[in-house]
Amino acid sequence: MASLAFSFFFFFLSLIASSSEAGSVGINYGRVANNLPTPTKVVELLKSQGINRVKLYDTDATVLTALANSGINVTVAMPNELLSAAAADQSFTDTWLQANIIKYYPSTQIEAIAVGNEVFVDPQNTTNYLVPAMKNVHASLVKQNLDNAIKISSPIALSALQSSYPTSSGSFKPELIEPVIKPMLEFLRQTGSYLMVNAYPFFAYAANSDTISLDYALFKENPGVIDSGNGLKYNNLFDAQIDAVNAAMSALQYDDVKVTVSETGWPSLGDNNEIGAGGDNAASYNGNLVRHVLNGSGTPLRPRDPLNVFLFALFNENQKTGPTSERNYGLFYPSEEKVYDIPLTVAQVNKSSLSPPSGTGRSQVPVTGDVSPSNAGVTWCVASGDTSEEKVQHALDYACGEGGADCAPIQPGAMCYNPNTLEAHASYAFNSYYQKKSRGVGTCDFGGAAYVVTQAPRYGKCEFPTGY
Ligand SMILES: *[C@@H]1O[C@H](CO)[C@@H](O)[C@H](O)[C@H]1NC(C)=O
Ligand SMILES: *[C@@H]1O[C@H](CO)[C@@H](O)[C@H](O)[C@H]1NC(C)=O
Ligand SMILES: *[C@@H]1O[C@H](CO)[C@@H](O)[C@H](O)[C@H]1NC(C)=O
Ligand SMILES: *[C@@H]1O[C@H](CO)[C@@H](O)[C@H](O)[C@H]1NC(C)=O
């Protein structure tokens, strides 16, 4: 229990420590409508709202021209229909890049290219073209010496996950892993890019409103959900969804690839059977999400990584097909009137903030006062001597396997092999895991086999790192 209180405490401190580095809020500018303002007017609207990142679904000439010299960073998209051509031939991507990027850059500050959108659920099944297309676009960028300035990614839907509950069990669909997920993550790692994820707590809530609480989905005060796999506490469904993706990447040893949420939103109107759709809920979801992102909170698994999100969407889009909700995700009506009022910038959050000051109110977990805050950055995780050997061994195996701890130093001949005891080896592995998880809440527990210490552990000549 003491160790649990300790780790809660340090998680709490890490929230304060990271709250200066805010994430970013952008918006998706979808245009499946026949009644939208001109792109020039839209750019004025974005500027008036303080929005400085926008994502498009194509490379429309009038839109990219209107965005020139606006101070707004732009993510453009190569539509799914072009993936097979882009995969087949680099001269195609060379030409495409010239006509759709180089023509506007750098007056139009293009920061990323989304190659395809939710490709794995594309009815035309363009999955096999995805990574080759990304590689060809990248090769074309390299020729222009723009590969550092412009990142390449591809938004995936959460349906790419096989498992997402509990969050720590997050895993990709097995049939996607070898053909496309691993090659894509490898590409993202090598190019210093990030995984784009479209995440909609609304869908999960609407489909499971009997088991998921609305307050949990809307970032309102709620008891939270404890992840039975690692003890982490989730206060909202959004964090749980993003961490399921993080866990799925960790399981494939891609902990270092970051996530950008390329779409998230909540409809302000829906059909009768679309449980949860509505203006108040949409305002709560989007407003609280923006507060969450801008106050610098990460997710429980990655508390120090600022969240970057693109809200979906700028406008209600009247030509979208499907249920009523599809046409009602906008923050604005085509008239530019607000559908509901939410803060979109730090200044607006500060002004509208009725929420408690940073670091309080996140949860009602007990906070112990027995460690001074100045020690917050300097903690280690060690094996507790009074747990059964079997349990410790099991936890050690987990840490070095699925857990992704760095266990090379405890192999025979390596620096931390001696003393060759289960306790020393387990301590090394548990600490590696704990540090890799940024000392997050519950990450030094291992079913009670581990606890947090504030003095550097001493085992032979072995040095225990405090960060990765
Ligand atoms: C826009 O992109 C530039 C260049 O990559 C970067 O320096 C700047 O911080 C970005 N601004 C925003 C708001 O993302
Ligand atoms: C798409 O193509 C892949 C690879 O050829 C195949 O494994 C998968 O079943 C296809 N998916 C659909 C929905 O047709
Ligand atoms: C918002 O409030 C925080 C904390 O009080 C402060 O550090 C920051 O400067 C404020 N930002 C703006 C733009 O007002
Ligand atoms: C950040 O915002 C969220 C959502 O409003 C809130 O629950 C949390 O307490 C805030 N955290 C900090 C450190 O201010």
Side-chain angles (χ1 to χ4, degrees):
M1 198 55 219
S3 73
L4 201 62
F6 269 131
S7 41
F8 277 132
F9 183 54
F10 289 113
F11 177 63
F12 168 80
L13 288 170
S14 79
L15 274 180
I16 298 174
S18 62
S19 65
S20 56
E21 198 185 354
S24 81
V25 174
I27 197 157
N28 281 280
Y29 175 13
R31 297 183 305 118
V32 187
N34 60 8
N35 55 358
L36 298 184
T38 63
T40 310
K41 283 191 172 171
V42 171
V43 171
E44 288 314 310
L45 174 66
L46 293 169
K47 282 159 81 172
S48 73
Q49 300 299 315
I51 296 168
N52 53 20
R53 293 182 92 185
V54 70
K55 182 169 154 285
L56 313 177
Y57 290 90
D58 52 22
T59 50
D60 182 84
T62 55
V63 174
L64 287 177
T65 304
L67 282 162
N69 307 309
S70 62
I72 298 170
N73 283 6
V74 186
T75 295
V76 299
M78 171 185 269
N80 290 0
E81 300 83 76
L82 298 184
L83 294 194
S84 77
D89 191 354
Q90 210 191 99
S91 68
F92 177 90
T93 55
D94 286 348
T95 310
W96 183 86
L97 199 77
Q98 274 297 340
N100 296 278
I101 306 288
I102 309 294
K103 191 170 163 197
Y104 307 102
Y105 186 90
S107 323
T108 302
Q109 183 56 52
I110 296 168
E111 61 174 343
I113 303 171
V115 174
N117 186 41
E118 301 192 350
V119 165
F120 311 145
V121 290
D122 179 358
Q124 303 302 319
N125 201 357
T126 42
T127 300
N128 287 343
Y129 306 123
L130 178 59
V131 177
M134 291 171 89
K135 288 183 172 168
N136 278 345
V137 175
H138 183 254
S140 299
L141 280 175
V142 169
K143 285 187 195 167
Q144 302 288 340
N145 202 19
L146 285 177
D147 51 310
N148 283 322
I150 302 179
K151 296 300 175 200
I152 295 170
S153 189
S154 184
I156 64 167
L158 277 188
S159 61
L161 295 181
Q162 170 83 5
S163 156
S164 62
Y165 186 87
T167 298
S168 59
S169 77
S171 63
F172 292 107
K173 287 191 167 147
E175 67 272 23
L176 293 174
I177 290 178
E178 292 300 330
V180 61
I181 298 284
K182 276 191 183 172
M184 178 167 71
L185 293 175
E186 188 60 32
F187 170 84
L188 296 175
R189 171 184 279 165
Q190 284 178 4
T191 58
S193 187
Y194 42 83
L195 182 65
M196 292 179 175
V197 176
N198 295 345
Y200 286 91
F202 167 70
F203 293 142
Y205 171 73
N208 305 284
S209 59
D210 50 336
T211 52
I212 297 178
S213 100
L214 185 59
D215 288 345
Y216 181 63
L218 298 178
F219 300 86
K220 291 184 175 175
E221 211 46 57
N222 72 93
V225 173
I226 303 280
D227 185 314
S228 58
N230 59 13
L232 289 180
K233 182 175 182 191
Y234 285 88
N235 291 312
N236 64 77
L237 182 52
F238 172 86
D239 279 354
Q241 290 191 335
I242 301 311
D243 272 353
V245 176
N246 284 326
M249 287 200 287
S250 291
L252 302 178
Q253 318 292 326
Y254 285 93
D255 300 80
D256 52 322
V257 176
K258 308 236 189 281
V259 165
T260 280
V261 179
S262 38
E263 283 184 16
T264 187
W266 196 286
S268 61
L269 196 65
D271 297 319
N272 284 340
N273 63 353
E274 298 193 84
I275 300 169
D280 288 348
N281 290 347
S284 293
Y285 178 79
N286 286 304
N288 289 335
L289 171 68
V290 168
R291 287 180 196 100
H292 180 51
V293 169
L294 292 182
N295 73 11
S297 320
T299 61
L301 264 186
R302 297 190 180 183
R304 277 153 210 257
D305 289 356
L307 286 161
N308 295 314
V309 307
F310 289 90
L311 302 179
F312 187 87
L314 185 54
F315 293 111
N316 283 343
E317 295 172 71
N318 68 352
Q319 291 183 319
K320 289 214 134 179
T321 56
T324 298
S325 62
E326 287 289 320
R327 291 172 289 286
N328 291 283
Y329 275 92
L331 267 55
F332 291 88
Y333 295 106
S335 65
E336 301 196 5
E337 213 181 310
K338 285 179 177 171
V339 178
Y340 43 83
D341 199 14
I342 59 164
L344 292 167
T345 62
V346 174
Q348 290 164 15
V349 167
N350 279 3
K351 223 167 105 188
S352 75
S353 185
L354 301 169
S355 56
S358 63
T360 63
R362 178 152 176 122
S363 63
Q364 308 93 324
V365 298
V367 170
T368 62
D370 30 1
V371 178
S372 92
S374 61
N375 276 335
V378 200
T379 56
W380 294 261
C381 181
V382 296
S384 65
D386 53 19
T387 309
S388 79
E389 252 183 55
E390 196 190 357
K391 205 166 162 185
V392 175
Q393 183 66 51
H394 183 73
L396 172 61
D397 294 344
Y398 168 81
C400 294
E402 243 176 292
D406 175 17
C407 294
I410 53 176
Q411 301 310 308
M415 191 178 66
C416 295
Y417 181 68
N418 286 318
N420 179 15
T421 65
L422 180 61
E423 186 190 320
H425 287 184
S427 292
Y428 190 89
F430 294 170
N431 183 61
S432 168
Y433 179 88
Y434 175 63
Q435 304 296 341
K436 284 194 174 195
K437 299 291 180 196
S438 308
R439 302 190 278 271
V441 61
T443 62
C444 178
D445 184 49
F446 295 96
Y451 65 102
V452 172
V453 295
T454 56
Q455 302 274 312
R458 283 262 153 267
Y459 291 103
K461 292 200 171 77
C462 184
E463 297 219 350
F464 279 56
T466 53
Y468 277 89

